[in-house]
mmCIF file of all heavy atoms in Angstrom:
data_model
loop_
_atom_site.group_PDB
_atom_site.id
_atom_site.type_symbol
_atom_site.label_atom_id
_atom_site.label_comp_id
_atom_site.label_asym_id
_atom_site.label_seq_id
_atom_site.Cartn_x
_atom_site.Cartn_y
_atom_site.Cartn_z
ATOM 1 N N THR T 31 -37.217 18.010 11.153
ATOM 2 C CA THR T 31 -38.060 17.419 12.214
ATOM 3 C C THR T 31 -37.939 18.175 13.555
ATOM 4 O O THR T 31 -38.427 17.632 14.558
ATOM 5 C CB THR T 31 -37.676 15.931 12.407
ATOM 6 O OG1 THR T 31 -36.333 15.848 12.822
ATOM 7 C CG2 THR T 31 -37.890 15.170 11.151
ATOM 8 N N LEU T 32 -37.356 19.338 13.590
ATOM 9 C CA LEU T 32 -37.184 20.094 14.801
ATOM 10 C C LEU T 32 -38.543 20.531 15.366
ATOM 11 O O LEU T 32 -39.373 21.041 14.635
ATOM 12 C CB LEU T 32 -36.313 21.318 14.548
ATOM 13 C CG LEU T 32 -35.812 22.101 15.754
ATOM 14 C CD1 LEU T 32 -34.919 21.259 16.603
ATOM 15 C CD2 LEU T 32 -35.098 23.347 15.275
ATOM 16 N N LYS T 33 -38.722 20.265 16.607
ATOM 17 C CA LYS T 33 -40.004 20.647 17.265
ATOM 18 C C LYS T 33 -39.841 21.964 18.084
ATOM 19 O O LYS T 33 -38.750 22.293 18.478
ATOM 20 C CB LYS T 33 -40.391 19.509 18.220
ATOM 21 C CG LYS T 33 -40.770 18.231 17.518
ATOM 22 C CD LYS T 33 -41.215 17.193 18.515
ATOM 23 C CE LYS T 33 -41.605 15.904 17.855
ATOM 24 N NZ LYS T 33 -40.514 15.274 17.107
ATOM 25 N N PRO T 34 -40.855 22.742 18.210
ATOM 26 C CA PRO T 34 -40.782 24.025 18.905
ATOM 27 C C PRO T 34 -40.238 23.933 20.330
ATOM 28 O O PRO T 34 -39.523 24.861 20.792
ATOM 29 C CB PRO T 34 -42.202 24.582 18.897
ATOM 30 C CG PRO T 34 -42.872 23.859 17.785
ATOM 31 C CD PRO T 34 -42.224 22.508 17.687
ATOM 32 N N GLU T 35 -40.504 22.857 21.052
ATOM 33 C CA GLU T 35 -40.029 22.788 22.403
ATOM 34 C C GLU T 35 -38.542 22.366 22.505
ATOM 35 O O GLU T 35 -37.981 22.435 23.580
ATOM 36 C CB GLU T 35 -40.867 21.782 23.192
ATOM 37 C CG GLU T 35 -40.963 20.373 22.626
ATOM 38 C CD GLU T 35 -42.137 20.212 21.673
ATOM 39 O OE1 GLU T 35 -42.918 21.187 21.438
ATOM 40 O OE2 GLU T 35 -42.333 19.113 21.198
ATOM 41 N N GLU T 36 -37.951 22.045 21.366
ATOM 42 C CA GLU T 36 -36.504 21.692 21.351
ATOM 43 C C GLU T 36 -35.599 22.860 21.168
ATOM 44 O O GLU T 36 -34.374 22.766 21.331
ATOM 45 C CB GLU T 36 -36.261 20.630 20.244
ATOM 46 C CG GLU T 36 -36.936 19.300 20.519
ATOM 47 C CD GLU T 36 -36.706 18.369 19.371
ATOM 48 O OE1 GLU T 36 -36.146 18.717 18.355
ATOM 49 O OE2 GLU T 36 -37.197 17.170 19.509
ATOM 50 N N ALA T 37 -36.122 24.009 20.745
ATOM 51 C CA ALA T 37 -35.271 25.186 20.475
ATOM 52 C C ALA T 37 -36.012 26.446 20.945
ATOM 53 O O ALA T 37 -37.211 26.576 20.855
ATOM 54 C CB ALA T 37 -34.984 25.258 19.017
ATOM 55 N N GLU T 38 -35.245 27.400 21.429
ATOM 56 C CA GLU T 38 -35.815 28.666 21.859
ATOM 57 C C GLU T 38 -36.228 29.534 20.650
ATOM 58 O O GLU T 38 -37.332 30.054 20.613
ATOM 59 C CB GLU T 38 -34.873 29.412 22.714
ATOM 60 C CG GLU T 38 -34.589 28.795 24.029
ATOM 61 C CD GLU T 38 -33.548 29.548 24.881
ATOM 62 O OE1 GLU T 38 -33.290 30.713 24.567
ATOM 63 O OE2 GLU T 38 -33.077 28.960 25.827
ATOM 64 N N ASP T 39 -35.389 29.629 19.630
ATOM 65 C CA ASP T 39 -35.594 30.398 18.436
ATOM 66 C C ASP T 39 -35.566 29.454 17.237
ATOM 67 O O ASP T 39 -34.546 29.100 16.773
ATOM 68 C CB ASP T 39 -34.585 31.542 18.315
ATOM 69 C CG ASP T 39 -34.902 32.504 17.183
ATOM 70 O OD1 ASP T 39 -36.009 32.375 16.606
ATOM 71 O OD2 ASP T 39 -34.072 33.338 16.884
ATOM 72 N N MET T 40 -36.784 29.089 16.786
ATOM 73 C CA MET T 40 -36.833 28.045 15.711
ATOM 74 C C MET T 40 -36.203 28.534 14.426
ATOM 75 O O MET T 40 -35.511 27.758 13.747
ATOM 76 C CB MET T 40 -38.335 27.765 15.398
ATOM 77 C CG MET T 40 -39.013 26.894 16.461
ATOM 78 S SD MET T 40 -38.422 25.211 16.415
ATOM 79 C CE MET T 40 -39.137 24.646 14.904
ATOM 80 N N THR T 41 -36.445 29.775 14.043
ATOM 81 C CA THR T 41 -35.899 30.262 12.800
ATOM 82 C C THR T 41 -34.368 30.235 12.770
ATOM 83 O O THR T 41 -33.757 29.752 11.847
ATOM 84 C CB THR T 41 -36.375 31.660 12.484
ATOM 85 O OG1 THR T 41 -37.820 31.668 12.513
ATOM 86 C CG2 THR T 41 -35.928 32.164 11.138
ATOM 87 N N ALA T 42 -33.776 30.759 13.835
ATOM 88 C CA ALA T 42 -32.305 30.782 13.957
ATOM 89 C C ALA T 42 -31.745 29.353 13.946
ATOM 90 O O ALA T 42 -30.723 29.044 13.343
ATOM 91 C CB ALA T 42 -31.889 31.551 15.156
ATOM 92 N N ARG T 43 -32.408 28.457 14.654
ATOM 93 C CA ARG T 43 -31.926 27.113 14.754
ATOM 94 C C ARG T 43 -31.971 26.370 13.414
ATOM 95 O O ARG T 43 -31.079 25.644 13.008
ATOM 96 C CB ARG T 43 -32.717 26.339 15.785
ATOM 97 C CG ARG T 43 -32.206 24.990 16.095
ATOM 98 C CD ARG T 43 -30.892 25.078 16.800
ATOM 99 N NE ARG T 43 -30.504 23.737 17.205
ATOM 100 C CZ ARG T 43 -29.263 23.468 17.590
ATOM 101 N NH1 ARG T 43 -28.371 24.388 17.639
ATOM 102 N NH2 ARG T 43 -28.984 22.251 17.952
ATOM 103 N N LYS T 44 -33.058 26.618 12.671
ATOM 104 C CA LYS T 44 -33.215 26.018 11.342
ATOM 105 C C LYS T 44 -32.210 26.585 10.337
ATOM 106 O O LYS T 44 -31.637 25.829 9.533
ATOM 107 C CB LYS T 44 -34.651 26.139 10.789
ATOM 108 C CG LYS T 44 -35.597 25.255 11.483
ATOM 109 C CD LYS T 44 -36.943 25.218 10.826
ATOM 110 C CE LYS T 44 -37.839 24.267 11.529
ATOM 111 N NZ LYS T 44 -38.452 23.306 10.693
ATOM 112 N N ILE T 45 -31.933 27.869 10.418
ATOM 113 C CA ILE T 45 -30.901 28.478 9.590
ATOM 114 C C ILE T 45 -29.520 27.892 9.942
ATOM 115 O O ILE T 45 -28.747 27.545 9.043
ATOM 116 C CB ILE T 45 -30.907 30.027 9.725
ATOM 117 C CG1 ILE T 45 -32.171 30.584 9.101
ATOM 118 C CG2 ILE T 45 -29.649 30.611 9.108
ATOM 119 C CD1 ILE T 45 -32.370 32.071 9.389
#
Side-chain angles (χ1 to χ4, degrees):
T31 61
L32 190 65
K33 294 181 178 62
E35 55 270 1
E36 294 176 355
E38 293 178 15
D39 187 7
M40 286 289 290
T41 305
R43 188 67 174 165
K44 285 191 179 232
I45 291 172

